[in-house]
Amino acid sequence: MYGLTPFGGTGFDLWNAFNDFDKNFFGGNMPLNNCRTDIRDDGDKYVMESELPGFEKEDIKLDINGSQLTIAAEHSTNNDEKDDKGNYIRRERTFGSYKRSFDIGDINTDAISAEYKNGILTIELPKKAPEAPVAKRLEIK
């Protein structure tokens, strides 16, 4: 089994065939909330690097639920400029969010560490030690 598999629909689903019609029709295969993530196998651990430019550390949440790691980030800004009468001269708002999940069934979840620096979230995911097969002698009664 390969670890760190992104969850999400990659196959054809008859019941949801038209959900992504507008993205596919207009040439966008990537969802707007895509979080580009590189995963490297360093032998005893995986290292994930997710691009989250424009986010603050406080905007990012890492959650583990069972054997699933979810990266979620959300932020919004509001720039209001008014004249001396209180009328808007300029009003700009932006909102961004990302959410991505990975299978971490073969990861030691107690030893996961994360760091966010210069728009890159780096997560170190130590692999579980392989379990030795159990051998024992049964007593005959």
Side-chain angles (χ1 to χ4, degrees), residues 5 9 16 19 21 23 25 34 36 44 51 53-54 63 69 88-89 96 98 100 106 108 116-117 121 130:
T5 308
N16 294 314
N19 280 357
F21 177 76
K23 285 190 296 189
F25 183 77
N34 190 22
R36 296 185 190 276
D44 62 339
E51 295 178 3
D63 294 312
L69 170 70
Y88 289 108
I89 297 172
Y98 294 98
R100 186 111 184 247
D106 61 344
N108 177 0
Y116 183 67
K117 188 174 182 181
L121 175 66

Side-chain angles (χ1 to χ4, degrees), residues 46-70:
Y46 293 105
V47 178
M48 292 176 54
E49 295 176 334
S50 296
E51 295 178 3
L52 295 167
F55 288 92
E56 298 295 327
K57 183 173 84 169
E58 296 77 25
D59 298 334
I60 303 168
K61 293 177 181 49
L62 297 175
D63 294 312
I64 296 175
N65 187 0
S67 64
Q68 181 175 329
L69 170 70
T70 300

